[in-house]
Amino acid sequence: MKQLRVGMIGYKFMGKAHSNAYRSLPMFFPEALKPEMVAICGRNVSAVQAAAVQLGWSESVTDWKELVRREDIDLIDINAPSDAHKEIAIAAAKAGKHIFCEKPLALSLADAREMLQAAQEAGVTHMVGFNYRFSPAVRLAKKLVEGGRLGQIYHFRAWFLQDWIMDPQFPLVWRLQKEVAGSGSHGDLGAHLIDLAHYLVGDMQEVIGMSETFIKERPIASEMTGLSAKGSTGGPMGKVTVDDATLFMTRFENGALGSFEATRFAAGHRSTNSFEINGSLGSVKFDFERMNELEVYFTSDAEDVQGFRRVLATDPVHDYMEAWWPPGHTIGFEHTFTHEILELSTAISEGRQPVPNFEDGVKCQAVLEAVDKSIEERRWVQLSEM
Protein backbone atom coordinates (compact mmCIF):
# COMPACT_ATOMS: atom_id res chain seq x y z
CA MET A 1 0.00 0.00 0.00
CA LYS A 2 1.67 3.19 -1.19
CA GLN A 3 -1.32 5.50 -1.26
CA LEU A 4 -4.01 6.38 1.26
CA ARG A 5 -7.29 7.10 -0.50
CA VAL A 6 -9.26 9.65 1.52
CA GLY A 7 -12.91 10.64 1.63
CA MET A 8 -13.54 13.71 3.79
CA ILE A 9 -16.84 14.84 5.33
CA GLY A 10 -16.81 18.56 6.15
CA TYR A 11 -15.07 21.38 4.30
CA LYS A 12 -14.90 24.53 6.41
CA PHE A 13 -12.38 25.43 9.17
CA MET A 14 -11.11 21.93 9.95
CA GLY A 15 -11.73 20.75 6.40
CA LYS A 16 -9.29 23.34 5.13
CA ALA A 17 -6.73 22.44 7.83
CA HIS A 18 -6.96 18.72 7.03
CA SER A 19 -6.82 19.29 3.27
CA ASN A 20 -3.68 21.36 3.62
CA ALA A 21 -2.11 18.56 5.70
CA TYR A 22 -2.90 15.90 3.08
CA ARG A 23 -1.34 18.07 0.39
CA SER A 24 1.78 18.91 2.44
CA LEU A 25 2.55 15.42 3.74
CA PRO A 26 4.25 13.92 0.63
CA MET A 27 6.36 17.02 0.05
CA PHE A 28 7.94 17.04 3.50
CA PHE A 29 7.52 13.40 4.61
CA PRO A 30 7.96 11.43 1.36
CA GLU A 31 8.36 8.12 3.21
CA ALA A 32 4.74 8.28 4.41
CA LEU A 33 1.75 6.89 2.54
CA LYS A 34 0.78 9.45 -0.09
CA PRO A 35 -2.75 10.76 0.50
CA GLU A 36 -5.01 10.62 -2.54
CA MET A 37 -7.74 13.22 -2.01
CA VAL A 38 -10.55 11.28 -3.68
CA ALA A 39 -13.78 12.97 -2.57
CA ILE A 40 -15.04 15.68 -0.26
CA CYS A 41 -18.60 15.62 1.11
CA GLY A 42 -20.97 18.35 2.25
CA ARG A 43 -24.69 19.14 2.22
CA ASN A 44 -24.56 22.33 0.13
CA VAL A 45 -23.95 21.33 -3.49
CA SER A 46 -22.45 24.58 -4.76
CA ALA A 47 -20.40 25.18 -1.61
CA VAL A 48 -18.86 21.70 -1.53
CA GLN A 49 -18.12 21.89 -5.26
CA ALA A 50 -16.27 25.15 -4.71
CA ALA A 51 -14.42 23.64 -1.74
CA ALA A 52 -13.30 20.67 -3.84
CA VAL A 53 -11.73 23.01 -6.37
CA GLN A 54 -10.15 25.29 -3.77
CA LEU A 55 -8.83 22.55 -1.47
CA GLY A 56 -7.66 20.11 -4.14
CA TRP A 57 -10.15 17.23 -4.01
CA SER A 58 -10.84 15.18 -7.14
CA GLU A 59 -14.61 15.30 -6.72
CA SER A 60 -17.39 16.46 -4.43
CA VAL A 61 -20.45 14.54 -3.17
CA THR A 62 -23.41 15.28 -0.91
CA ASP A 63 -24.26 11.80 0.43
CA TRP A 64 -21.86 10.66 3.16
CA LYS A 65 -23.56 7.27 3.41
CA GLU A 66 -22.63 6.55 -0.18
CA LEU A 67 -19.12 7.87 0.42
CA VAL A 68 -18.34 5.47 3.29
CA ARG A 69 -19.42 2.49 1.14
CA ARG A 70 -17.15 3.30 -1.80
CA GLU A 71 -14.46 0.76 -2.61
CA ASP A 72 -12.01 3.46 -3.73
CA ILE A 73 -11.82 4.95 -0.21
CA ASP A 74 -9.48 3.71 2.55
CA LEU A 75 -9.91 6.48 5.14
CA ILE A 76 -12.94 8.50 6.21
CA ASP A 77 -12.04 11.92 7.62
CA ILE A 78 -14.83 13.38 9.80
CA ASN A 79 -14.69 17.11 10.53
CA ALA A 80 -18.41 17.86 10.32
CA PRO A 81 -20.16 19.29 13.43
CA SER A 82 -20.01 17.12 16.54
CA ASP A 83 -23.57 15.79 16.30
CA ALA A 84 -22.66 13.96 13.08
CA HIS A 85 -19.56 12.18 14.38
CA LYS A 86 -21.13 9.07 15.89
CA GLU A 87 -23.34 7.98 13.00
CA ILE A 88 -20.65 8.54 10.38
CA ALA A 89 -17.87 6.88 12.39
CA ILE A 90 -19.90 3.76 13.16
CA ALA A 91 -20.98 3.44 9.51
CA ALA A 92 -17.37 3.88 8.37
CA ALA A 93 -16.16 1.22 10.81
CA LYS A 94 -18.81 -1.24 9.60
CA ALA A 95 -17.65 -0.53 6.04
CA GLY A 96 -14.09 -1.42 7.05
CA LYS A 97 -12.71 2.11 6.64
CA HIS A 98 -9.98 3.68 8.74
CA ILE A 99 -11.33 6.73 10.62
CA PHE A 100 -9.90 10.14 11.46
CA CYS A 101 -12.41 12.14 13.57
CA GLU A 102 -12.13 15.65 14.93
CA LYS A 103 -12.60 16.36 18.63
CA PRO A 104 -14.58 16.22 20.77
CA LEU A 105 -15.16 12.64 19.68
CA ALA A 106 -18.92 12.70 20.33
CA LEU A 107 -21.77 14.53 22.04
CA SER A 108 -21.64 12.20 25.03
CA LEU A 109 -19.46 9.63 26.77
CA ALA A 110 -21.94 6.88 25.84
CA ASP A 111 -21.72 7.83 22.16
CA ALA A 112 -17.92 8.00 22.30
CA ARG A 113 -17.78 4.52 23.80
CA GLU A 114 -20.05 3.20 21.03
CA MET A 115 -17.71 4.69 18.43
CA LEU A 116 -14.67 3.09 20.06
CA GLN A 117 -16.41 -0.27 20.30
CA ALA A 118 -17.46 -0.16 16.64
CA ALA A 119 -13.91 0.67 15.52
CA GLN A 120 -12.41 -2.06 17.70
CA GLU A 121 -14.87 -4.70 16.53
CA ALA A 122 -14.18 -3.78 12.90
CA GLY A 123 -10.42 -3.87 13.45
CA VAL A 124 -9.88 -0.52 11.71
CA THR A 125 -7.41 2.23 12.49
CA HIS A 126 -8.97 5.12 14.42
CA MET A 127 -7.59 8.54 15.36
CA VAL A 128 -9.03 11.60 17.13
CA GLY A 129 -7.90 15.11 16.21
CA PHE A 130 -5.99 16.53 19.16
CA ASN A 131 -3.52 18.44 17.01
CA TYR A 132 -1.78 20.43 19.75
CA ARG A 133 0.05 17.27 20.84
CA PHE A 134 1.96 17.57 17.60
CA SER A 135 3.70 20.89 18.30
CA PRO A 136 7.45 20.22 18.59
CA ALA A 137 7.67 22.39 21.74
CA VAL A 138 4.89 20.33 23.38
CA ARG A 139 6.75 17.14 22.43
CA LEU A 140 9.83 18.60 24.13
CA ALA A 141 7.82 19.19 27.30
CA LYS A 142 6.72 15.54 27.12
CA LYS A 143 10.34 14.38 26.87
CA LEU A 144 11.37 16.49 29.86
CA VAL A 145 8.55 15.05 31.98
CA GLU A 146 9.08 11.45 30.85
CA GLY A 147 12.84 11.70 31.24
CA GLY A 148 12.48 12.81 34.85
CA ARG A 149 14.20 16.13 34.22
CA LEU A 150 11.39 18.03 35.96
CA GLY A 151 11.33 15.56 38.85
CA GLN A 152 8.09 14.75 40.62
CA ILE A 153 5.24 16.65 38.99
CA TYR A 154 3.30 18.84 41.43
CA HIS A 155 1.16 21.13 39.27
CA PHE A 156 -0.40 21.29 35.82
CA ARG A 157 -2.30 24.49 35.08
CA ALA A 158 -3.81 25.27 31.69
CA TRP A 159 -5.96 27.91 30.07
CA PHE A 160 -7.48 28.33 26.62
CA LEU A 161 -8.76 31.87 26.19
CA GLN A 162 -10.63 33.37 23.23
CA ASP A 163 -12.85 36.42 22.69
CA TRP A 164 -14.61 35.82 19.38
CA ILE A 165 -18.22 35.79 20.71
CA MET A 166 -18.04 38.67 23.20
CA ASP A 167 -20.30 40.88 21.06
CA PRO A 168 -23.91 40.17 22.20
CA GLN A 169 -24.99 40.64 18.56
CA PHE A 170 -22.74 37.83 17.32
CA PRO A 171 -25.13 35.26 15.82
CA LEU A 172 -26.20 31.94 17.29
CA VAL A 173 -23.78 29.65 15.42
CA TRP A 174 -23.87 25.86 15.79
CA ARG A 175 -21.03 25.93 18.33
CA LEU A 176 -23.45 27.67 20.72
CA GLN A 177 -26.14 24.99 20.43
CA LYS A 178 -25.81 21.98 22.74
CA GLU A 179 -27.71 19.60 20.48
CA VAL A 180 -25.11 20.17 17.73
CA ALA A 181 -21.87 20.97 19.59
CA GLY A 182 -22.38 19.04 22.83
CA SER A 183 -20.92 21.86 24.92
CA GLY A 184 -19.38 25.30 24.52
CA SER A 185 -15.91 26.40 25.54
CA HIS A 186 -15.69 23.32 27.76
CA GLY A 187 -15.83 20.77 24.93
CA ASP A 188 -14.38 22.95 22.20
CA LEU A 189 -11.40 24.47 24.03
CA GLY A 190 -11.24 22.56 27.31
CA ALA A 191 -11.05 19.24 25.46
CA HIS A 192 -7.65 20.24 24.09
CA LEU A 193 -6.40 21.13 27.57
CA ILE A 194 -7.68 17.85 28.98
CA ASP A 195 -5.91 15.88 26.27
CA LEU A 196 -2.66 17.78 26.84
CA ALA A 197 -2.94 17.01 30.56
CA HIS A 198 -3.44 13.30 29.84
CA TYR A 199 -0.52 13.36 27.41
CA LEU A 200 1.89 15.26 29.63
CA VAL A 201 0.95 14.33 33.20
CA GLY A 202 -1.38 11.31 33.25
CA ASP A 203 -4.89 10.21 34.13
CA MET A 204 -7.17 12.20 36.43
CA GLN A 205 -8.72 10.86 39.62
CA GLU A 206 -11.36 13.47 40.52
CA VAL A 207 -12.66 16.86 39.35
CA ILE A 208 -14.75 19.80 40.55
CA GLY A 209 -15.92 22.65 38.33
CA MET A 210 -18.01 25.72 37.64
CA SER A 211 -19.35 27.33 34.46
CA GLU A 212 -21.31 30.31 33.18
CA THR A 213 -23.21 31.44 30.09
CA PHE A 214 -22.85 35.21 29.97
CA ILE A 215 -25.02 35.92 26.90
CA LYS A 216 -28.24 33.90 27.12
CA GLU A 217 -29.77 34.78 23.74
CA ARG A 218 -28.32 35.73 20.34
CA PRO A 219 -29.62 36.62 16.85
CA ILE A 220 -30.40 33.61 14.68
CA ALA A 221 -27.55 33.07 12.20
CA SER A 222 -28.33 33.51 8.53
CA GLU A 223 -24.90 32.37 7.35
CA MET A 224 -22.04 30.47 9.03
CA THR A 225 -18.46 29.96 7.83
CA GLY A 226 -15.90 28.49 10.20
CA LEU A 227 -15.83 30.74 13.27
CA SER A 228 -17.57 33.65 11.52
CA ALA A 229 -21.26 34.23 10.88
CA LYS A 230 -23.89 36.73 9.82
CA GLY A 231 -27.17 37.61 11.47
CA SER A 232 -29.69 40.43 11.38
CA THR A 233 -29.95 43.09 14.09
CA GLY A 234 -33.49 43.23 15.41
CA GLY A 235 -34.34 39.84 13.92
CA PRO A 236 -35.40 36.65 15.73
CA MET A 237 -33.36 35.53 18.73
CA GLY A 238 -32.37 32.04 19.84
CA LYS A 239 -31.28 30.59 23.17
CA VAL A 240 -27.62 29.83 23.84
CA THR A 241 -27.57 26.32 25.32
CA VAL A 242 -23.86 25.85 26.05
CA ASP A 243 -21.32 27.38 28.43
CA ASP A 244 -19.37 30.51 27.59
CA ALA A 245 -16.74 29.68 30.22
CA THR A 246 -15.86 26.64 32.32
CA LEU A 247 -13.25 26.30 35.05
CA PHE A 248 -12.34 23.14 36.93
CA MET A 249 -9.75 21.64 39.23
CA THR A 250 -8.46 18.08 39.28
CA ARG A 251 -6.31 15.69 41.27
CA PHE A 252 -4.27 13.39 39.05
CA GLU A 253 -3.77 9.73 39.87
CA ASN A 254 -0.05 10.43 40.43
CA GLY A 255 -0.86 13.04 43.09
CA ALA A 256 -0.32 16.16 40.98
CA LEU A 257 -2.88 18.98 41.14
CA GLY A 258 -4.41 20.62 38.08
CA SER A 259 -6.44 23.69 37.17
CA PHE A 260 -8.17 24.40 33.85
CA GLU A 261 -9.87 27.44 32.37
CA ALA A 262 -11.67 27.60 29.02
CA THR A 263 -13.50 30.74 27.95
CA ARG A 264 -14.61 32.66 24.89
CA PHE A 265 -14.97 35.87 26.90
CA ALA A 266 -11.33 36.85 27.56
CA ALA A 267 -11.01 40.22 25.83
CA GLY A 268 -7.78 40.56 23.88
CA HIS A 269 -7.11 36.82 23.72
CA ARG A 270 -7.58 35.60 20.17
CA SER A 271 -6.49 32.04 20.92
CA THR A 272 -4.29 31.78 24.00
CA ASN A 273 -3.73 28.06 24.53
CA SER A 274 -1.22 27.72 27.37
CA PHE A 275 -0.02 25.39 30.09
CA GLU A 276 2.56 25.35 32.86
CA ILE A 277 4.01 22.30 34.60
CA ASN A 278 5.83 22.57 37.93
CA GLY A 279 7.97 19.74 39.26
CA SER A 280 10.48 19.16 42.04
CA LEU A 281 13.43 19.77 39.68
CA GLY A 282 12.03 22.39 37.36
CA SER A 283 9.16 23.85 35.34
CA VAL A 284 8.06 24.43 31.75
CA LYS A 285 5.69 27.00 30.24
CA PHE A 286 4.04 26.92 26.81
CA ASP A 287 1.81 29.33 24.88
CA PHE A 288 0.55 28.30 21.46
CA GLU A 289 0.56 31.91 20.26
CA ARG A 290 4.37 31.45 20.49
CA MET A 291 4.18 27.80 19.53
CA ASN A 292 7.83 27.37 18.54
CA GLU A 293 9.03 28.22 22.04
CA LEU A 294 9.12 26.37 25.35
CA GLU A 295 10.16 28.18 28.51
CA VAL A 296 12.26 25.89 30.70
CA TYR A 297 13.53 26.28 34.27
CA PHE A 298 15.80 23.89 36.19
CA THR A 299 16.44 24.18 39.93
CA SER A 300 19.95 22.77 39.38
CA ASP A 301 21.13 25.92 37.59
CA ALA A 302 23.56 28.12 39.49
CA GLU A 303 21.81 30.77 41.58
CA ASP A 304 23.24 33.66 39.60
CA VAL A 305 21.70 32.40 36.31
CA GLN A 306 18.51 30.80 37.58
CA GLY A 307 15.35 31.71 35.69
CA PHE A 308 13.19 30.59 32.79
CA ARG A 309 15.11 30.19 29.53
CA ARG A 310 13.52 30.37 26.08
CA VAL A 311 14.12 27.21 24.07
CA LEU A 312 13.36 27.56 20.38
CA ALA A 313 12.15 24.11 19.31
CA THR A 314 13.19 24.40 15.66
CA ASP A 315 16.44 22.39 15.56
CA PRO A 316 16.52 18.92 13.95
CA VAL A 317 16.78 17.36 17.43
CA HIS A 318 13.15 18.33 18.05
CA ASP A 319 10.33 16.11 16.78
CA TYR A 320 9.42 16.63 13.10
CA MET A 321 11.71 19.63 12.58
CA GLU A 322 14.30 17.86 10.46
CA ALA A 323 11.68 17.70 7.70
CA TRP A 324 10.98 21.42 7.67
CA TRP A 325 13.28 24.45 7.61
CA PRO A 326 16.76 25.36 8.90
CA PRO A 327 17.02 26.04 12.69
CA GLY A 328 15.30 29.25 13.72
CA HIS A 329 12.85 29.13 10.81
CA THR A 330 9.54 28.66 12.57
CA ILE A 331 6.45 26.61 11.74
CA GLY A 332 2.77 27.38 12.37
CA PHE A 333 -0.69 26.09 13.28
CA GLU A 334 -1.13 24.20 10.01
CA HIS A 335 1.98 22.10 10.58
CA THR A 336 0.44 20.39 13.62
CA PHE A 337 -2.13 18.83 11.29
CA THR A 338 0.58 17.60 8.91
CA HIS A 339 2.31 15.92 11.85
CA GLU A 340 -1.05 14.47 12.88
CA ILE A 341 -1.61 12.96 9.43
CA LEU A 342 1.97 11.64 9.48
CA GLU A 343 1.21 9.72 12.70
CA LEU A 344 -2.00 8.36 11.17
CA SER A 345 -0.27 7.36 7.94
CA THR A 346 2.61 5.70 9.79
CA ALA A 347 0.23 3.80 12.07
CA ILE A 348 -1.69 2.42 9.09
CA SER A 349 1.58 1.35 7.45
CA GLU A 350 2.78 -0.34 10.65
CA GLY A 351 -0.54 -1.98 11.47
CA ARG A 352 -0.96 -0.27 14.85
CA GLN A 353 -3.26 2.29 16.39
CA PRO A 354 -2.11 5.93 16.14
CA VAL A 355 -1.85 8.12 19.21
CA PRO A 356 -4.17 9.78 20.10
CA ASN A 357 -6.96 7.41 19.08
CA PHE A 358 -10.59 6.84 20.05
CA GLU A 359 -9.51 5.52 23.47
CA ASP A 360 -8.02 8.96 24.16
CA GLY A 361 -11.20 10.55 22.86
CA VAL A 362 -13.27 8.47 25.28
CA LYS A 363 -10.95 9.34 28.17
CA CYS A 364 -11.31 13.05 27.37
CA GLN A 365 -15.10 12.75 27.09
CA ALA A 366 -15.21 11.10 30.53
CA VAL A 367 -13.49 14.13 32.07
CA LEU A 368 -15.77 16.56 30.21
CA GLU A 369 -18.85 14.79 31.57
CA ALA A 370 -17.39 14.40 35.06
CA VAL A 371 -16.93 18.17 35.19
CA ASP A 372 -20.51 18.70 33.96
CA LYS A 373 -21.73 16.32 36.65
CA SER A 374 -19.69 18.18 39.25
CA ILE A 375 -21.19 21.51 38.20
CA GLU A 376 -24.73 20.13 38.26
CA GLU A 377 -24.35 18.40 41.63
CA ARG A 378 -21.94 20.96 43.18
CA ARG A 379 -19.43 18.36 44.40
CA TRP A 380 -16.17 16.53 43.63
CA VAL A 381 -16.75 13.74 41.09
CA GLN A 382 -14.53 10.68 40.83
CA LEU A 383 -13.60 9.59 37.29
CA SER A 384 -14.38 6.05 38.41
CA GLU A 385 -18.05 7.13 38.56
CA MET A 386 -18.08 7.67 34.82
Side-chain angles (χ1 to χ4, degrees), residues 151-337:
Q152 180 184 347
I153 303 303
Y154 296 138
H155 294 286
F156 178 86
R157 63 184 63 85
W159 52 102
F160 204 149
L161 316 176
Q162 295 182 345
D163 65 356
W164 60 283
I165 60 168
M166 286 187 62
D167 181 355
Q169 292 304 309
F170 186 86
L172 186 69
V173 295
W174 68 264
R175 292 176 188 270
L176 304 182
Q177 298 173 294
K178 186 175 180 63
E179 65 273 17
V180 181
S183 64
S185 63
H186 185 42
D188 187 23
L189 309 180
H192 281 299
L193 302 180
I194 292 166
D195 181 69
L196 286 173
H198 285 152
Y199 176 61
L200 295 167
V201 179
D203 291 350
M204 300 180 199
Q205 183 180 73
E206 58 181 349
V207 298
I208 189 168
M210 61 188 296
S211 68
E212 184 59 64
T213 302
F214 300 112
I215 306 297
K216 314 294 186 187
E217 289 188 334
R218 291 181 178 275
I220 299 296
S222 58
E223 182 181 329
M224 291 183 273
T225 305
L227 297 183
S228 62
K230 294 180 180 179
S232 58
T233 302
M237 304 288 283
K239 185 178 180 181
V240 176
T241 51
V242 300
D243 63 288
D244 286 331
T246 293
L247 294 80
F248 73 94
M249 296 184 296
T250 189
R251 186 183 303 275
F252 290 90
E253 289 184 355
N254 61 12
L257 304 180
S259 63
F260 299 77
E261 180 181 4
T263 182
R264 294 163 172 165
F265 274 71
H269 290 274
R270 297 300 188 250
S271 193
T272 304
N273 179 6
S274 303
F275 65 79
E276 180 170 341
I277 302 173
N278 307 127
S280 60
L281 300 179
S283 298
V284 293
K285 294 193 291 187
F286 174 79
D287 180 356
F288 193 74
E289 289 183 348
R290 304 183 68 168
M291 64 165 285
N292 291 277
E293 304 173 12
L294 185 70
E295 292 190 67
V296 181
Y297 171 80
F298 295 118
T299 60
S300 58
D301 288 341
E303 288 187 10
D304 60 342
V305 292
Q306 278 193 353
F308 279 95
R309 69 190 72 178
R310 182 185 72 117
V311 177
L312 191 61
T314 59
D315 284 23
V317 69
H318 298 114
D319 284 3
Y320 311 116
M321 292 309 300
E322 191 172 8
W324 295 104
W325 317 116
H329 293 69
T330 58
I331 61 172
F333 174 66
E334 69 274 19
H335 296 80
T336 63
F337 294 93

Side-chain angles (χ1 to χ4, degrees), residues 16-36:
K16 183 178 289 186
H18 290 198
S19 298
N20 180 72
Y22 291 127
R23 296 178 70 170
S24 297
L25 186 68
M27 182 183 298
F28 294 94
F29 298 93
E31 73 282 3
L33 294 177
K34 183 178 180 180
E36 181 183 346

Side-chain angles (χ1 to χ4, degrees), residues 135-157:
S135 304
V138 173
R139 311 288 280 199
L140 174 58
K142 172 73 168 178
K143 290 179 180 178
L144 295 177
V145 171
E146 280 195 336
R149 295 173 69 181
L150 300 184
Q152 180 184 347
I153 303 303
Y154 296 138
H155 294 286
F156 178 86
R157 63 184 63 85

Side-chain angles (χ1 to χ4, degrees), residues 55-66:
L55 303 179
W57 293 85
S58 296
E59 62 177 292
S60 63
V61 298
T62 56
D63 185 351
W64 68 260
K65 294 180 180 179
E66 179 183 337

